[in-house]
Amino acid sequence: MEVKARAPGKIILAGEHAVVHGSTAVAAAIDLYTYVTLRFPLQSAENSDRLTLQLKDISLEFSWSLARIKEAIPYDSSTLCRSTPTSCSQETLKSIAVLVEEQNLPKEKIWLSSGISTFLWLYTRIIGFNPATVVINSELPYGSGLGSSAALCVALTAALLASSISDKTCGNGWSSLDETNLELLNKWAFEGEKIIHGKPSGIDNTVSAYGNMIKFCSGEITRLQSNMPLRMLITNTRVGRNTKALVSGVSQRAARHPDAMNSVFNAVDSISQELAAIIQSKDETSVTEKEESIKELMEMNQGLLQSMGVSHSSIEAVVQTTVKHKLVSKLTGAGGGGCVLTLLPTGTVVDKVVEELESSGFQCFTASIGGNGAQISY
């Protein structure tokens, strides 16, 4: 049997960093996906006693005997309940880490360790100790702020849960899960994100699971329904950043200048609230007028992010390049590098700006905003 699943990446449209200080943030799914294929062998097959993970994008393969996995991961049939998402204990995580270390990851790929640990935890908790080959490939650049880890957790969980669904009626096309299964999927994916990130907000996995857009404030997530098409140029600066250090830097600046920074955070909150209202608006305002408003809000948000100290010369280079083409850009995510969003109003031709950005060593994608969440196929 073969099961396929896919889950989208995400962008932060407004509110990054300020959200840590009580402001509202708006996030959206993008039509760049992570794909997971789950294959179960026949009983007589050669690899009927192994669990294999193939990472197609980076040409790596890992394989464990089921006996070795059972030896390392505590097993109690009474605790195997896919309908009750559970956290991975530190003790179990240490045992899983040993399984990962035994695969002798290349030093330059050691950052994959937490993702592989997440794979082993989700697989054994949802499926148990059954042989399979799991193939993963992604359209999302790793570690760039586009939610690649959440998309992995969501797509993997979707495939694992889908393998146990008795009514496999979606044929060869992509089909969304029902609300009950989506809620379960999101909870499991959040447990996976905790292994990778420690204390995630839940924004990334929720956007990836449900799709469309969400509003997030003080731990509360509200799903939004977009009533207008939005396209973005996403530019990966290829500059790595330390998210923890950037978040800390904003907090330190807020401690030094509390009144000024509170004004910045309040301004960001207003931008996020207005953006969410425009996106959901059903009034007769033209798409062009709405796009103009969003452009202005993005421009203001970028200025506020600069004032927080989280921009970077690579981000500014993208901003200045797109300004020459009468387009507006802002960083997305932690800043300090990572990715930059450029709004593409209806009818915009991007060939020249993409050519200019890529000649500077940047990586460009075009994406539709607010599309489907997790989907499965058999």
Side-chain angles (χ1 to χ4, degrees):
M1 184 180 83
E2 181 174 285
V3 180
K4 295 181 179 179
R6 70 177 187 178
K10 73 90 180 60
I11 56 169
I12 304 292
L13 282 167
E16 46 271 273
H17 285 289
V19 72
V20 177
H21 300 270
S23 299
T24 303
V26 178
I30 55 177
D31 59 348
L32 297 172
Y33 296 90
T34 290
Y35 298 85
V36 172
T37 302
L38 177 60
R39 300 189 185 114
F40 294 107
L42 299 170
Q43 289 295 328
S44 57
E46 200 173 298
N47 290 324
S48 60
D49 65 341
R50 300 192 71 80
L51 175 61
T52 299
L53 172 64
Q54 296 177 354
L55 304 179
K56 285 292 188 183
D57 301 310
I58 45 185
S59 303
L60 288 177
E61 179 173 309
F62 311 97
S63 188
W64 301 265
S65 71
L66 295 179
R68 178 68 188 101
I69 295 175
K70 288 179 183 178
E71 180 187 322
I73 302 176
Y75 175 69
D76 179 350
S77 59
S78 66
T79 64
L80 180 61
C81 183
R82 62 176 58 89
S83 62
T84 308
T86 52
S87 298
C88 184
S89 69
Q90 286 302 309
E91 184 180 350
T92 300
L93 193 53
K94 287 177 183 176
S95 298
I96 293 175
V98 172
L99 288 175
V100 177
E101 287 169 10
E102 290 171 357
Q103 296 293 311
N104 295 316
L105 266 170
K107 284 184 179 179
E108 67 275 11
K109 302 293 184 184
I110 203 70
W111 54 271
L112 289 168
S113 297
S114 60
I116 299 169
S117 294
T118 299
F119 161 74
L120 288 167
W121 169 253
L122 291 174
Y123 187 93
T124 54
R125 290 306 91 189
I126 298 173
I127 292 287
F129 297 90
N130 296 310
T133 296
V134 180
V135 182
I136 298 173
N137 62 291
S138 184
E139 297 166 344
L140 296 162
Y142 295 105
S144 61
L146 298 182
S148 59
S149 67
L152 165 65
C153 292
V154 170
L156 175 61
T157 304
L160 297 174
L161 292 175
S163 69
S164 64
I165 295 175
S166 56
D167 181 22
K168 299 177 173 60
T169 56
C170 60
N172 293 321
W174 291 107
S175 175
S176 298
L177 296 164
D178 60 36
E179 282 290 318
T180 301
N181 278 310
L182 272 176
E183 184 179 357
L184 177 62
L185 157 67
N186 195 36
K187 288 178 179 177
W188 271 118
F190 183 61
E191 294 301 331
E193 279 278 84
K194 282 160 69 174
I195 294 174
I196 296 173
H197 293 299
K199 293 182 179 180
S201 66
I203 293 176
D204 288 16
N205 52 278
T206 300
V207 173
S208 187
Y210 289 99
N212 216 313
M213 302 183 188
I214 66 167
K215 189 164 66 172
F216 179 85
C217 185
S218 301
E220 201 170 307
I221 293 174
T222 306
R223 289 163 62 187
L224 306 177
Q225 292 299 317
S226 171
N227 287 295
M228 66 176 292
L230 272 181
R231 284 179 68 241
M232 295 277 178
L233 175 67
I234 302 174
T235 303
N236 181 9
T237 65
R238 303 182 194 263
V239 175
R241 67 272 187 277
N242 184 327
T243 299
K244 187 176 181 180
L246 288 159
V247 171
S248 176
V250 174
S251 295
Q252 290 168 18
R253 186 170 289 204
R256 291 192 299 270
H257 312 285
D259 292 341
M261 288 298 282
N262 281 336
S263 296
V264 169
F265 299 145
N266 288 335
V268 172
D269 184 76
S270 297
I271 287 169
S272 294
Q273 297 284 10
E274 187 176 345
L275 181 64
I278 292 169
I279 287 166
Q280 295 185 99
S281 172
K282 295 181 180 179
D283 62 28
E284 295 182 1
T285 306
S286 70
V287 171
T288 301
E289 287 178 281
K290 289 180 179 179
E291 288 172 344
E292 281 300 315
S293 294
I294 291 171
K295 277 175 64 176
E296 288 182 344
L297 291 171
M298 286 178 62
E299 189 173 34
M300 287 188 281
N301 197 171
Q302 175 61 21
L304 292 166
L305 287 162
Q306 287 173 321
S307 73
M308 293 182 213
V310 296
S311 194
H312 185 270
S313 58
S314 63
I315 294 170
E316 297 305 319
V318 175
V319 171
Q320 293 306 315
T321 299
T322 56
V323 161
K324 288 191 293 183
H325 295 268
K326 299 183 178 174
L327 299 171
V328 168
S329 303
K330 69 171 282 289
L331 67 85
T332 184
C339 286
V340 180
L341 302 179
T342 304
L343 179 66
L344 299 178
T346 305
T348 301
V349 178
V350 297
D351 294 0
K352 288 184 178 178
V353 67
V354 167
E355 182 181 347
E356 192 168 343
L357 289 167
E358 290 185 340
S359 69
S360 298
F362 301 132
Q363 180 184 27
C364 296
F365 313 87
T366 53
S368 296
I369 307 304
N372 291 315
Q375 295 181 303
I376 57 174
S377 178
Y378 298 100

